[in-house]
């Protein structure tokens, strides 16, 4: 019996994945952003291990607490930091390098810890969860929150007011305005497509109108939706995000039905979808197949699910927006969404990629896990029926969706028949 001299493939399970590892089929098709100064890219694993152990030893005496609740809280924080130390050192780099690969590895570490925290909370009953939040997180939690409606006085012009004749509008400019603008700047970095971002901001405003009979904070005046949100905050944040993308040379995503050197109107693109089978030259081919179309629609739906999960869980779990628990979720998840969107974009646009990227997978686990947490705790809260006009609008949206889906399926079937004939 002859033994082949060819090297035996032991399998990927026997390989040691370096933190710089990126699958070759992805690495060969993408230009990685510059690493900059090499001094910031040297490994410090032994030094970090020693520093972490010394820190844990010192803080274990420094932060001694007489109560079990405070000890558990401190232990959770330092367990999280220890996991971030490991993840920052040994997690693989993502497809995005700037500002530094360590930044994205730390976000991956945070996402893992946050996902495990969500899974941990799912197995509490609603009463046990409120008790846990009060005893181990913050005694102020678990109490009914005052719900503010922003549609109490929707007059745009108030001549009787001594401070301003447009007091209702000017009084709405508070600390949440720059936060709102920054939020949509980050969303622009996530989407990296100006038209899609503009569509997404209008879609979320409609989400607020859809669910405002359940969430009082979603009640807003018409000028709040149109002027303050859409025109000033959302569009302003999108423009800032767009110019920062151009300034720093960030990769742009091609989500639209558009040829590389040709800009057509939406109507012409939709007409081409229904009538013309010649779609081979279209760059990203949003409408090229039923699968591709559904994946793009799911991306848009998923972004709204991510935003709505924040508001619904905040309402059900009775946690104030300014609380540190919500900050622990909002800011890291916003930046982690950037690299998760890159993984999803690669999965949907590169034919060589057959598996969903790790960050996109983790993002799905987090957001859908939050919705599992919500459904575990919402019983008996949202009983009011949807208004009739909302139901009618959604029927129209679903009708348009299925008409478009049928048109794509019909055109795809016609293309397959032409290929067989050729």
């Amino acid at each position: 019996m002859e033994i082949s001299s060819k090297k035996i493939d032991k399998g990927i399970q026997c390989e040691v994945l370096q933190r710089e590892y990126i699958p070759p089929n992805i690495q060969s098709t993408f230009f990685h952003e510059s690493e900059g100064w090499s001094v910031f890219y040297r490994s410090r694993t032994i030094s970090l291990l020693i520093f972490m152990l010394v820190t844990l030893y010192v803080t274990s005496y420094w932060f001694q607490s007489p109560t079990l609740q405070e000890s558990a809280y401190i232990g959770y924080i330092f367990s999280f930091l220890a996991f971030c130390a490991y993840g920052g050192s040994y997690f693989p780099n993502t497809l995005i390098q700037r500002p530094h690969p360590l930044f994205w590895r730390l976000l991956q570490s945070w996402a893992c810890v946050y996902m495990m925290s969500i899974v941990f909370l799912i197995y509490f009953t609603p009463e046990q969860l409120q008790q846990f939040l009060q005893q181990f997180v913050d005694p102020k939690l678990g109490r009914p929150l005052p719900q503010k409606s922003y549609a109490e006085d929707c007059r745009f012009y108030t001549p009787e007011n001594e401070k301003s004749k447009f007091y209702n509008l000017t009084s709405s400019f508070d600390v949440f305005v720059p936060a709102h603008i920054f939020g949509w700047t980050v969303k622009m970095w996530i989407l990296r497509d100006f038209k899609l971002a503009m569509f997404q901001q209008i879609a979320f405003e409609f989400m607020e109108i859809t669910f405002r009979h359940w969430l009082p904070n979603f009640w807003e005046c018409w000028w709040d939706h149109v002027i303050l949100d859409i025109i000033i905050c959302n569009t302003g944040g999108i423009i800032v995000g767009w110019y920062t993308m151009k300034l720093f040379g960030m990769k742009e995503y091609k989500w639209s039905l558009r040829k590389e050197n040709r800009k057509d109107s939406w109507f012409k693109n939709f007409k081409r979808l229904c009538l013309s089978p010649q779609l081979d030259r279209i760059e990203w081919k949003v409408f090229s197949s039923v699968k591709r179309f559904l994946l793009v629609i799911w991306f848009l739906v998923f972004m709204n699910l991510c935003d709505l999960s924040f508001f619904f869980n905040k309402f059900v779990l009775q946690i104030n927006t300014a609380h540190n628990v919500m900050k622990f979720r909002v800011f890291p998840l916003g930046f982690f969404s950037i690299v998760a969107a890159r993984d999803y974009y690669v999965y949907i646009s590169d034919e060589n990629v057959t598996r969903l990227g790790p960050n996109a997978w983790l993002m799905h686990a987090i957001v859908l896990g939050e919705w599992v947490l919500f459904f575990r705790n919402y019983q008996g809260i949202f009983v009011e029926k949807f208004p009739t006009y909302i139901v009618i609008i959604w029927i129209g949206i679903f009708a348009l969706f299925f008409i478009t889906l049928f048109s794509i399926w019909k055109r795809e079937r016609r293309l397959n028949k032409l290929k067989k004939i050729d």
Side-chain angles (χ1 to χ4, degrees), residues 211-254:
F211 296 106
R212 64 186 181 183
H213 63 291
W214 285 348
L215 300 177
N217 287 345
F218 278 1
W219 276 101
E220 295 178 349
C221 300
W222 68 267
W223 47 263
D224 200 339
H225 281 295
V226 177
I227 299 177
L228 198 60
D229 286 348
I230 295 179
I231 297 178
I232 297 178
C233 295
N234 300 357
T235 304
I238 291 171
I239 293 174
V240 171
W242 175 258
Y243 276 105
T244 52
M245 282 177 55
K246 296 297 183 182
L247 179 64
F248 294 103
M250 299 167 65
K251 179 180 175 64
E252 182 182 355
Y253 300 157
K254 303 295 182 181

Short mmCIF file of all heavy atoms in Angstrom, two decimals, residues 211-254:
data_model
loop_
_atom_site.label_atom_id
_atom_site.label_comp_id
_atom_site.label_asym_id
_atom_site.label_seq_id
_atom_site.Cartn_x
_atom_site.Cartn_y
_atom_site.Cartn_z
N PHE A 211 -46.70 52.84 16.04
CA PHE A 211 -46.75 52.30 17.41
C PHE A 211 -46.97 53.37 18.47
O PHE A 211 -46.80 53.09 19.66
CB PHE A 211 -45.44 51.56 17.71
CG PHE A 211 -45.22 50.35 16.86
CD1 PHE A 211 -44.29 50.36 15.83
CD2 PHE A 211 -45.95 49.19 17.07
CE1 PHE A 211 -44.07 49.25 15.04
CE2 PHE A 211 -45.75 48.06 16.29
CZ PHE A 211 -44.81 48.09 15.27
N ARG A 212 -47.37 54.57 18.08
CA ARG A 212 -47.51 55.63 19.07
C ARG A 212 -48.72 55.43 19.98
O ARG A 212 -48.79 56.02 21.07
CB ARG A 212 -47.59 56.99 18.39
CG ARG A 212 -48.80 57.20 17.50
CD ARG A 212 -48.69 58.53 16.77
NE ARG A 212 -49.85 58.79 15.92
CZ ARG A 212 -49.96 59.87 15.13
NH1 ARG A 212 -48.98 60.76 15.11
NH2 ARG A 212 -51.04 60.04 14.39
N HIS A 213 -49.68 54.59 19.58
CA HIS A 213 -50.81 54.32 20.47
C HIS A 213 -50.40 53.38 21.60
O HIS A 213 -51.14 53.21 22.57
CB HIS A 213 -51.98 53.71 19.68
CG HIS A 213 -51.69 52.39 19.06
ND1 HIS A 213 -50.81 52.24 18.01
CD2 HIS A 213 -52.14 51.14 19.35
CE1 HIS A 213 -50.74 50.97 17.67
NE2 HIS A 213 -51.52 50.28 18.45
N TRP A 214 -49.23 52.78 21.50
CA TRP A 214 -48.68 51.94 22.56
C TRP A 214 -47.60 52.65 23.36
O TRP A 214 -47.52 52.48 24.57
CB TRP A 214 -48.09 50.65 21.97
CG TRP A 214 -49.12 49.64 21.55
CD1 TRP A 214 -50.45 49.67 21.83
CD2 TRP A 214 -48.90 48.48 20.77
NE1 TRP A 214 -51.09 48.59 21.28
CE2 TRP A 214 -50.15 47.82 20.62
CE3 TRP A 214 -47.77 47.90 20.18
CZ2 TRP A 214 -50.29 46.64 19.91
CZ3 TRP A 214 -47.91 46.72 19.47
CH2 TRP A 214 -49.16 46.10 19.34
N LEU A 215 -46.76 53.41 22.67
CA LEU A 215 -45.65 54.10 23.33
C LEU A 215 -45.92 55.61 23.31
O LEU A 215 -45.84 56.25 22.26
CB LEU A 215 -44.33 53.81 22.61
CG LEU A 215 -43.93 52.33 22.55
CD1 LEU A 215 -42.64 52.17 21.75
CD2 LEU A 215 -43.76 51.75 23.95
N PRO A 216 -46.23 56.20 24.46
CA PRO A 216 -46.56 57.64 24.49
C PRO A 216 -45.44 58.53 23.96
O PRO A 216 -45.71 59.61 23.42
CB PRO A 216 -46.83 57.90 25.98
CG PRO A 216 -47.22 56.56 26.54
CD PRO A 216 -46.41 55.56 25.78
N ASN A 217 -44.18 58.12 24.13
CA ASN A 217 -43.07 58.95 23.66
C ASN A 217 -43.04 59.08 22.15
O ASN A 217 -42.36 59.97 21.61
CB ASN A 217 -41.74 58.36 24.14
CG ASN A 217 -41.52 58.59 25.62
OD1 ASN A 217 -42.21 59.40 26.23
ND2 ASN A 217 -40.59 57.86 26.19
N PHE A 218 -43.75 58.23 21.44
CA PHE A 218 -43.80 58.30 19.99
C PHE A 218 -44.81 59.32 19.48
O PHE A 218 -44.85 59.60 18.28
CB PHE A 218 -44.12 56.92 19.40
CG PHE A 218 -42.92 56.01 19.29
CD1 PHE A 218 -41.69 56.42 19.72
CD2 PHE A 218 -43.04 54.73 18.76
CE1 PHE A 218 -40.58 55.59 19.63
CE2 PHE A 218 -41.94 53.90 18.66
CZ PHE A 218 -40.71 54.33 19.10
N TRP A 219 -45.62 59.85 20.38
CA TRP A 219 -46.57 60.88 19.95
C TRP A 219 -45.81 62.19 19.73
O TRP A 219 -45.21 62.74 20.65
CB TRP A 219 -47.67 61.09 21.00
CG TRP A 219 -48.79 60.11 20.89
CD1 TRP A 219 -49.01 58.99 21.64
CD2 TRP A 219 -49.87 60.17 19.96
NE1 TRP A 219 -50.14 58.34 21.24
CE2 TRP A 219 -50.70 59.06 20.20
CE3 TRP A 219 -50.22 61.05 18.93
CZ2 TRP A 219 -51.86 58.80 19.47
CZ3 TRP A 219 -51.37 60.80 18.20
CH2 TRP A 219 -52.17 59.69 18.48
N GLU A 220 -45.85 62.69 18.51
CA GLU A 220 -45.18 63.94 18.17
C GLU A 220 -46.07 64.77 17.26
O GLU A 220 -46.95 64.24 16.56
CB GLU A 220 -43.85 63.66 17.46
CG GLU A 220 -42.81 62.95 18.32
CD GLU A 220 -41.54 62.65 17.56
OE1 GLU A 220 -41.53 62.81 16.32
OE2 GLU A 220 -40.54 62.25 18.18
N CYS A 221 -45.83 66.08 17.27
CA CYS A 221 -46.56 66.97 16.37
C CYS A 221 -46.04 66.81 14.94
O CYS A 221 -44.94 66.30 14.72
CB CYS A 221 -46.40 68.41 16.83
SG CYS A 221 -47.02 68.72 18.52
N TRP A 222 -46.82 67.29 13.99
CA TRP A 222 -46.43 67.14 12.60
C TRP A 222 -45.11 67.85 12.32
O TRP A 222 -44.26 67.34 11.58
CB TRP A 222 -47.53 67.70 11.68
CG TRP A 222 -47.71 69.18 11.77
CD1 TRP A 222 -48.57 69.87 12.56
CD2 TRP A 222 -46.98 70.17 11.01
NE1 TRP A 222 -48.43 71.23 12.38
CE2 TRP A 222 -47.47 71.44 11.43
CE3 TRP A 222 -45.98 70.12 10.06
CZ2 TRP A 222 -46.97 72.63 10.90
CZ3 TRP A 222 -45.48 71.31 9.54
CH2 TRP A 222 -45.98 72.53 9.95
N TRP A 223 -44.93 69.05 12.92
CA TRP A 223 -43.68 69.79 12.68
C TRP A 223 -42.50 69.12 13.39
O TRP A 223 -41.35 69.29 12.98
CB TRP A 223 -43.82 71.25 13.13
CG TRP A 223 -44.44 71.45 14.47
CD1 TRP A 223 -45.74 71.73 14.75
CD2 TRP A 223 -43.77 71.39 15.75
NE1 TRP A 223 -45.94 71.85 16.10
CE2 TRP A 223 -44.74 71.65 16.74
CE3 TRP A 223 -42.46 71.15 16.14
CZ2 TRP A 223 -44.45 71.67 18.09
CZ3 TRP A 223 -42.14 71.17 17.49
CH2 TRP A 223 -43.13 71.42 18.45
N ASP A 224 -42.77 68.35 14.44
CA ASP A 224 -41.71 67.60 15.10
C ASP A 224 -41.21 66.48 14.18
O ASP A 224 -40.01 66.24 14.05
CB ASP A 224 -42.23 67.02 16.41
CG ASP A 224 -41.11 66.65 17.36
OD1 ASP A 224 -39.97 66.45 16.88
OD2 ASP A 224 -41.34 66.55 18.58
N HIS A 225 -42.16 65.78 13.54
CA HIS A 225 -41.79 64.73 12.59
C HIS A 225 -41.05 65.30 11.38
O HIS A 225 -39.99 64.79 10.99
CB HIS A 225 -43.04 63.98 12.10
CG HIS A 225 -43.56 62.97 13.07
ND1 HIS A 225 -42.85 61.84 13.43
CD2 HIS A 225 -44.73 62.91 13.76
CE1 HIS A 225 -43.56 61.14 14.30
NE2 HIS A 225 -44.70 61.77 14.52
N VAL A 226 -41.63 66.36 10.80
CA VAL A 226 -41.14 66.86 9.51
C VAL A 226 -39.93 67.76 9.68
O VAL A 226 -38.88 67.55 9.05
CB VAL A 226 -42.27 67.60 8.75
CG1 VAL A 226 -41.73 68.18 7.45
CG2 VAL A 226 -43.43 66.66 8.49
N ILE A 227 -40.05 68.80 10.52
CA ILE A 227 -39.00 69.81 10.62
C ILE A 227 -37.86 69.34 11.54
O ILE A 227 -36.70 69.28 11.13
CB ILE A 227 -39.57 71.15 11.13
CG1 ILE A 227 -40.64 71.67 10.14
CG2 ILE A 227 -38.46 72.17 11.30
CD1 ILE A 227 -41.31 72.95 10.60
N LEU A 228 -38.21 69.01 12.79
CA LEU A 228 -37.17 68.70 13.78
C LEU A 228 -36.48 67.37 13.48
O LEU A 228 -35.26 67.28 13.55
CB LEU A 228 -37.79 68.69 15.17
CG LEU A 228 -36.81 68.81 16.35
CD1 LEU A 228 -36.04 70.11 16.27
CD2 LEU A 228 -37.56 68.72 17.67
N ASP A 229 -37.28 66.34 13.15
CA ASP A 229 -36.70 65.02 12.94
C ASP A 229 -36.14 64.86 11.53
O ASP A 229 -34.94 64.69 11.34
CB ASP A 229 -37.74 63.93 13.22
CG ASP A 229 -38.00 63.77 14.72
OD1 ASP A 229 -37.22 64.32 15.51
OD2 ASP A 229 -38.97 63.10 15.09
N ILE A 230 -37.02 64.89 10.53
CA ILE A 230 -36.60 64.55 9.17
C ILE A 230 -35.64 65.58 8.59
O ILE A 230 -34.57 65.23 8.08
CB ILE A 230 -37.84 64.40 8.26
CG1 ILE A 230 -38.69 63.21 8.72
CG2 ILE A 230 -37.43 64.22 6.81
CD1 ILE A 230 -39.94 62.99 7.89
N ILE A 231 -36.00 66.87 8.67
CA ILE A 231 -35.20 67.90 8.00
C ILE A 231 -33.92 68.25 8.77
O ILE A 231 -32.84 68.31 8.20
CB ILE A 231 -36.05 69.17 7.77
CG1 ILE A 231 -37.22 68.86 6.83
CG2 ILE A 231 -35.19 70.30 7.19
CD1 ILE A 231 -38.14 70.03 6.57
N ILE A 232 -34.05 68.48 10.09
CA ILE A 232 -32.90 68.96 10.86
C ILE A 232 -32.04 67.82 11.39
O ILE A 232 -30.87 67.70 11.03
CB ILE A 232 -33.38 69.86 12.01
CG1 ILE A 232 -34.09 71.10 11.46
CG2 ILE A 232 -32.19 70.28 12.89
CD1 ILE A 232 -34.63 72.04 12.52
N CYS A 233 -32.60 66.98 12.25
CA CYS A 233 -31.79 65.97 12.94
C CYS A 233 -31.37 64.83 12.02
O CYS A 233 -30.18 64.54 11.87
CB CYS A 233 -32.56 65.42 14.14
SG CYS A 233 -32.87 66.65 15.44
N ASN A 234 -32.36 64.17 11.40
CA ASN A 234 -32.04 63.00 10.59
C ASN A 234 -31.20 63.36 9.37
O ASN A 234 -30.12 62.81 9.14
CB ASN A 234 -33.32 62.29 10.16
CG ASN A 234 -34.15 61.81 11.34
OD1 ASN A 234 -33.74 61.97 12.49
ND2 ASN A 234 -35.30 61.24 11.06
N THR A 235 -31.72 64.29 8.57
CA THR A 235 -30.99 64.69 7.37
C THR A 235 -29.66 65.34 7.71
O THR A 235 -28.66 65.11 7.02
CB THR A 235 -31.85 65.64 6.52
OG1 THR A 235 -33.11 65.01 6.22
CG2 THR A 235 -31.16 66.00 5.22
N GLY A 236 -29.64 66.16 8.77
CA GLY A 236 -28.38 66.77 9.19
C GLY A 236 -27.35 65.73 9.56
O GLY A 236 -26.18 65.82 9.16
N GLY A 237 -27.76 64.70 10.32
CA GLY A 237 -26.83 63.64 10.68
C GLY A 237 -26.37 62.84 9.48
O GLY A 237 -25.20 62.44 9.39
N ILE A 238 -27.27 62.59 8.54
CA ILE A 238 -26.92 61.85 7.32
C ILE A 238 -25.90 62.64 6.50
O ILE A 238 -24.93 62.07 5.98
CB ILE A 238 -28.18 61.56 6.49
CG1 ILE A 238 -29.06 60.53 7.23
CG2 ILE A 238 -27.83 61.04 5.11
CD1 ILE A 238 -30.42 60.34 6.60
N ILE A 239 -26.09 63.96 6.38
CA ILE A 239 -25.15 64.79 5.62
C ILE A 239 -23.78 64.81 6.30
O ILE A 239 -22.75 64.69 5.63
CB ILE A 239 -25.71 66.21 5.45
CG1 ILE A 239 -26.96 66.19 4.56
CG2 ILE A 239 -24.66 67.14 4.87
CD1 ILE A 239 -27.67 67.52 4.44
N VAL A 240 -23.76 64.93 7.63
CA VAL A 240 -22.50 64.90 8.36
C VAL A 240 -21.80 63.56 8.14
O VAL A 240 -20.59 63.49 7.88
CB VAL A 240 -22.72 65.16 9.85
CG1 VAL A 240 -21.44 64.92 10.64
CG2 VAL A 240 -23.21 66.58 10.08
N GLY A 241 -22.56 62.47 8.23
CA GLY A 241 -21.98 61.15 8.00
C GLY A 241 -21.46 60.99 6.59
O GLY A 241 -20.40 60.38 6.37
N TRP A 242 -22.19 61.55 5.61
CA TRP A 242 -21.77 61.46 4.21
C TRP A 242 -20.45 62.19 3.98
O TRP A 242 -19.54 61.67 3.32
CB TRP A 242 -22.87 62.03 3.32
CG TRP A 242 -22.52 62.10 1.86
CD1 TRP A 242 -22.14 63.20 1.16
CD2 TRP A 242 -22.51 61.02 0.93
NE1 TRP A 242 -21.90 62.88 -0.14
CE2 TRP A 242 -22.12 61.55 -0.33
CE3 TRP A 242 -22.80 59.67 1.03
CZ2 TRP A 242 -22.00 60.76 -1.46
CZ3 TRP A 242 -22.70 58.88 -0.11
CH2 TRP A 242 -22.30 59.43 -1.33
N TYR A 243 -20.33 63.41 4.53
CA TYR A 243 -19.11 64.18 4.32
C TYR A 243 -17.92 63.60 5.08
O TYR A 243 -16.78 63.68 4.61
CB TYR A 243 -19.34 65.64 4.71
CG TYR A 243 -19.99 66.44 3.60
CD1 TYR A 243 -21.33 66.80 3.67
CD2 TYR A 243 -19.25 66.84 2.49
CE1 TYR A 243 -21.93 67.52 2.65
CE2 TYR A 243 -19.85 67.58 1.46
CZ TYR A 243 -21.18 67.91 1.54
OH TYR A 243 -21.77 68.61 0.53
N THR A 244 -18.16 63.03 6.25
CA THR A 244 -17.06 62.36 6.94
C THR A 244 -16.61 61.12 6.19
O THR A 244 -15.42 60.78 6.20
CB THR A 244 -17.47 61.98 8.37
OG1 THR A 244 -18.71 61.24 8.34
CG2 THR A 244 -17.63 63.21 9.24
N MET A 245 -17.54 60.43 5.54
CA MET A 245 -17.16 59.30 4.69
C MET A 245 -16.25 59.76 3.56
O MET A 245 -15.23 59.12 3.26
CB MET A 245 -18.41 58.63 4.11
CG MET A 245 -19.16 57.73 5.08
SD MET A 245 -20.67 57.07 4.32
CE MET A 245 -20.01 56.30 2.84
N LYS A 246 -16.61 60.86 2.92
CA LYS A 246 -15.79 61.39 1.82
C LYS A 246 -14.45 61.89 2.34
O LYS A 246 -13.41 61.73 1.70
CB LYS A 246 -16.53 62.53 1.12
CG LYS A 246 -17.82 62.09 0.42
CD LYS A 246 -17.54 61.11 -0.70
CE LYS A 246 -18.83 60.74 -1.43
NZ LYS A 246 -18.56 59.73 -2.49
N LEU A 247 -14.47 62.52 3.54
CA LEU A 247 -13.25 63.10 4.10
C LEU A 247 -12.22 62.03 4.43
O LEU A 247 -11.02 62.19 4.15
CB LEU A 247 -13.59 63.91 5.35
CG LEU A 247 -12.43 64.57 6.09
CD1 LEU A 247 -11.75 65.62 5.21
CD2 LEU A 247 -12.93 65.21 7.39
N PHE A 248 -12.67 60.92 5.00
CA PHE A 248 -11.75 59.87 5.43
C PHE A 248 -11.66 58.71 4.44
O PHE A 248 -11.01 57.71 4.73
CB PHE A 248 -12.17 59.34 6.80
CG PHE A 248 -12.05 60.35 7.90
CD1 PHE A 248 -13.17 61.00 8.40
CD2 PHE A 248 -10.80 60.68 8.42
CE1 PHE A 248 -13.07 61.93 9.41
CE2 PHE A 248 -10.69 61.61 9.44
CZ PHE A 248 -11.81 62.25 9.93
N GLY A 249 -12.31 58.86 3.29
CA GLY A 249 -12.21 57.83 2.26
C GLY A 249 -12.80 56.50 2.68
O GLY A 249 -12.25 55.43 2.37
N MET A 250 -13.94 56.51 3.36
CA MET A 250 -14.57 55.28 3.82
C MET A 250 -15.26 54.59 2.65
O MET A 250 -15.76 55.23 1.72
CB MET A 250 -15.57 55.59 4.94
CG MET A 250 -14.94 56.23 6.16
SD MET A 250 -16.14 56.94 7.33
CE MET A 250 -16.99 55.46 7.88
N LYS A 251 -15.29 53.27 2.71
CA LYS A 251 -15.88 52.48 1.64
C LYS A 251 -17.37 52.76 1.53
O LYS A 251 -18.09 52.80 2.52
CB LYS A 251 -15.67 50.98 1.91
CG LYS A 251 -16.26 50.07 0.84
CD LYS A 251 -16.00 48.61 1.18
CE LYS A 251 -16.69 47.68 0.19
NZ LYS A 251 -16.17 47.82 -1.17
N GLU A 252 -17.83 52.96 0.31
CA GLU A 252 -19.25 53.20 0.04
C GLU A 252 -19.91 51.90 -0.40
O GLU A 252 -19.33 51.12 -1.16
CB GLU A 252 -19.42 54.27 -1.03
CG GLU A 252 -20.86 54.62 -1.34
CD GLU A 252 -20.98 55.64 -2.46
OE1 GLU A 252 -19.93 56.14 -2.91
OE2 GLU A 252 -22.11 55.91 -2.87
N TYR A 253 -21.13 51.66 0.09
CA TYR A 253 -21.87 50.47 -0.30
C TYR A 253 -22.83 50.81 -1.43
O TYR A 253 -23.43 51.89 -1.45
CB TYR A 253 -22.67 49.89 0.87
CG TYR A 253 -21.83 49.49 2.05
CD1 TYR A 253 -22.39 49.39 3.32
CD2 TYR A 253 -20.47 49.22 1.92
CE1 TYR A 253 -21.63 49.03 4.41
CE2 TYR A 253 -19.71 48.85 3.00
CZ TYR A 253 -20.29 48.76 4.25
OH TYR A 253 -19.54 48.41 5.34
N LYS A 254 -22.99 49.88 -2.37
CA LYS A 254 -23.88 50.08 -3.51
C LYS A 254 -25.12 49.23 -3.32
O LYS A 254 -25.19 48.08 -3.73
CB LYS A 254 -23.17 49.70 -4.81
CG LYS A 254 -21.86 50.45 -5.06
CD LYS A 254 -22.11 51.94 -5.26
CE LYS A 254 -20.81 52.67 -5.57
NZ LYS A 254 -21.01 54.11 -5.74
#
